[in-house]
């Protein structure tokens, strides 16, 4: 059988998963070596009996997934009329909304047919980027007084928020548009994106995610490479070390806290952690000292900690003293420094 025909069959095979998305079609572009590399894969997402749409996954030239996007056409209905909205949404590989743009020649308009101004488009991006929007707890009828385009006074009583707060969430004259598009950005497609990305998960993706500047990727990958007992899969230990030594305090502290104590039991790792401590931010230094307090330390590290007592502030000093008190076999010098610190 023709090998190109076999390859086509493989590329057109259905995407199998328990969710509601289904592979629809594939756009193929170019070759790398003898392998045809797909640039866009399409999935049909079924929301209910009457609504389904196409979700697209973009790949780079090497076949690596890049992001999801959707070419949206949706009617936005005000009291007496509906108007079409054409817009493109983009999400990262975990379904986190990133940005939007408009198809060529398309614009967004308000209820009076006035076109969006530059500041309206900027505000829409701010509204859509706000995951914890008040829209999450509202229905369309909560926002609009029946028969008008005005914000309803009932919003204040229903949500406990001020009318001014609600107005900050919308663009004047485009309340329905803001609400409708936010609901799409954080809608039922998001869990489907997670399922799709899970199907592409492999060691290469996990390494890439752990090294990515997108902290969502780092958290997701850490859940995959650090088990519930805190044991790090061997091949991912260098990745976790880089996160702990990284500039993002939140991911660094999470990686440190999730990792089991045995990870830092060897002298080489303890010396590395102390070097990391030296250049870390103050909150991370506190997190490292708390982590070290649960680990038997080598002599070099205990001496470094003891020698640093004098230059420590009250919080660090207290943590270091408690840490040193737990260690057995302190050197005479470290014991002398500790005793003096405890008596001061």
């Amino acid at each position: 059988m023709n090998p190109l025909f076999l390859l086509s069959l493989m590329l057109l095979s259905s995407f199998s998963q328990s969710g509601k998305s289904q592979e629809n079609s594939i756009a193929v572009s170019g070759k790398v070596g003898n392998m045809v590399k797909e640039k866009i894969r399409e999935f049909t997402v079924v929301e209910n009996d009457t609504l389904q749409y196409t979700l697209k996954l973009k790949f780079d030239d090497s076949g690596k997934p890049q992001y999801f996007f959707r070419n949206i056409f949706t009617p936005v209905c005000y009291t007496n009329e509906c108007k079409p909205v054409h817009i493109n949404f983009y999400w990262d590989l975990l379904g986190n909304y990133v940005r939007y743009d408009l198809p060529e020649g398309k614009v967004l308009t308000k209820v009076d047919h006035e076109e969006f101004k530059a500041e309206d488009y900027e505000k829409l991006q701010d509204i859509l980027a706000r995951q914890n929007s008040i829209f999450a707890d509202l229905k369309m009828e909560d926002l609009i007084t029946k028969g008008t385009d005005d914000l309803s006074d009932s919003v204040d009583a229903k949500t406990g928020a001020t009318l001014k707060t609600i107005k900050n969430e919308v663009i004047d004259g485009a309340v329905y548009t803001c609400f409708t598009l936010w609901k799409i950005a954080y809608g039922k497609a998001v869990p489907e994106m997670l399922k799709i990305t899970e199907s592409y998960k492999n060691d290469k993706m996990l390494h890439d995610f752990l090294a990515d500047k997108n902290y969502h990727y780092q958290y997701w990958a850490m859940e995959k490479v650090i088990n519930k007992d805190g044991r790090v899969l061997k091949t991912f230990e260098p990745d976790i070390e880089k996160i702990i030594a990284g500039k993002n305090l939140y991911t660094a502290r999470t990686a440190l806290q999730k990792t089991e104590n045995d990870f830092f039991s060897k002298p080489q790792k303890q010396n590395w952690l102390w070097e990391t401590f030296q250049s870390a931010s103050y909150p991370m230094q506190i997190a490292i000292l708390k982590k070290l307090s649960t680990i038997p330390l080598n002599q070099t590290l205990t001496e470094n900690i003891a020698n640093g007592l004098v230059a420590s502030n009250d919080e660090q000093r207290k943590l270091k003293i408690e840490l040193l008190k737990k260690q057995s076999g302190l050197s005479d010098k470290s014991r002398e420094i500790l005793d003096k610190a405890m008596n001061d």
Side-chain angles (χ1 to χ4, degrees):
M1 184 178 289
N2 189 312
L4 289 177
F5 177 71
L6 283 173
L7 181 57
S8 297
L9 288 177
M10 293 172 62
L11 290 174
L12 292 171
S13 62
S14 293
F15 178 78
S16 175
Q17 59 176 307
S18 59
K20 295 183 179 179
S21 63
Q22 181 180 1
E23 183 177 334
N24 189 30
S25 63
I26 299 173
V28 178
S29 173
K31 293 184 177 181
V32 178
N34 294 322
M35 294 295 294
V36 177
K37 292 297 181 182
E38 56 193 334
K39 299 301 287 291
I40 296 174
R41 177 167 288 185
E42 298 183 350
F43 301 88
T44 298
V45 177
V46 180
E47 290 214 3
N48 53 51
D49 293 339
T50 59
L51 177 61
Q52 65 179 40
Y53 53 83
T54 299
L55 180 66
K56 300 179 182 181
L57 176 58
K58 179 71 169 62
F59 295 80
D60 65 13
D61 291 337
S62 68
K64 176 183 173 183
Q66 296 295 294
Y67 56 84
F68 289 99
F69 68 101
R70 179 182 164 193
N71 308 121
I72 297 167
F73 167 74
T74 184
V76 175
C77 297
Y78 286 78
T79 305
N80 298 315
E81 65 174 320
C82 292
K83 57 181 181 179
V85 170
H86 297 266
I87 192 169
N88 303 317
F89 274 9
Y90 301 84
W91 296 266
D92 70 15
L93 292 173
L94 299 180
N96 297 293
Y97 170 82
V98 176
R99 65 180 179 89
Y100 78 89
D101 61 28
L102 300 178
E104 185 176 356
K106 300 297 182 181
V107 297
L108 297 179
T109 60
K110 301 180 182 181
V111 69
D112 54 4
H113 302 289
E114 177 188 356
E115 292 187 4
F116 271 36
K117 299 177 182 178
E119 55 265 32
D120 295 323
Y121 287 112
E122 292 176 4
K123 186 171 183 179
L124 179 61
Q125 171 61 15
D126 291 339
I127 291 169
L128 295 176
R130 201 174 301 146
Q131 183 176 3
N132 296 321
S133 170
I134 198 169
F135 289 155
D137 299 318
L138 296 177
K139 297 178 181 179
M140 183 68 78
E141 55 266 29
D142 296 328
L143 293 175
I144 306 296
T145 301
K146 188 175 182 180
T148 74
D149 185 40
D150 296 327
L151 287 168
S152 170
D153 289 338
S154 66
V155 172
D156 186 57
K158 189 176 186 69
T159 66
T162 65
L163 198 57
K164 182 178 180 180
T165 299
I166 303 299
K167 286 186 176 180
N168 289 336
E169 298 280 351
V170 299
I171 295 168
D172 288 342
V175 178
Y176 274 115
T177 300
C178 296
F179 181 84
T180 300
L181 294 181
W182 188 91
K183 287 293 188 181
I184 292 174
Y186 297 92
K188 292 184 178 180
V190 173
E192 299 305 319
M193 295 181 211
L194 286 169
K195 292 176 185 177
I196 293 167
T197 296
E198 187 76 34
S199 74
Y200 285 96
K201 184 190 69 178
N202 55 30
D203 283 0
K204 176 65 167 59
M205 174 182 278
L206 291 172
H207 284 300
D208 288 343
F209 272 29
L210 290 168
D212 203 284
K213 293 181 180 179
N214 184 336
Y215 65 89
H216 296 293
Y217 288 179
Q218 291 185 312
Y219 283 127
W220 185 83
M222 279 194 279
E223 291 295 326
K224 309 296 181 183
V225 306
I226 305 176
N227 68 19
K228 293 181 179 179
D229 296 325
R231 184 176 61 83
V232 180
L233 297 180
K234 189 68 177 178
T235 56
F236 295 97
E237 288 186 1
D239 302 274
I240 297 302
E241 289 180 10
K242 288 179 181 178
I243 291 177
I244 292 172
K247 294 181 180 180
N248 187 319
L249 168 64
Y250 302 102
T251 54
R253 191 160 52 191
T254 297
L256 178 72
Q257 293 169 345
K258 286 177 67 69
T259 304
E260 66 175 346
N261 291 344
D262 284 349
F263 185 81
F264 305 102
S265 61
K266 295 181 179 179
Q268 182 180 2
K269 284 281 178 66
Q270 291 190 5
N271 293 337
W272 165 81
L273 190 57
W274 183 248
E275 291 176 3
T276 301
F277 173 90
Q278 302 288 70
S279 59
S281 64
Y282 182 77
M284 190 60 184
Q285 287 184 336
I286 297 301
I288 290 174
L289 289 175
K290 289 180 178 179
K291 186 71 173 182
L292 289 175
S293 69
T294 64
I295 303 170
L297 306 182
N298 66 61
Q299 184 171 331
T300 300
L301 183 51
T302 55
E303 290 179 356
N304 285 332
I305 293 171
N307 290 333
L309 271 172
V310 175
S312 302
N313 64 23
D314 289 343
E315 184 178 17
Q316 290 177 327
R317 179 185 175 88
K318 182 178 178 180
L319 287 171
K320 288 179 179 180
I321 288 175
E322 292 303 314
L323 192 159
L324 292 172
K325 285 166 60 177
K326 293 179 181 180
Q327 307 306 314
S328 59
L330 286 177
S331 67
D332 292 341
K333 181 180 179 182
S334 296
R335 174 61 64 184
E336 180 182 346
I337 295 173
L338 176 60
D339 290 342
K340 184 176 185 302
M342 291 173 62
N343 292 324
D344 283 347

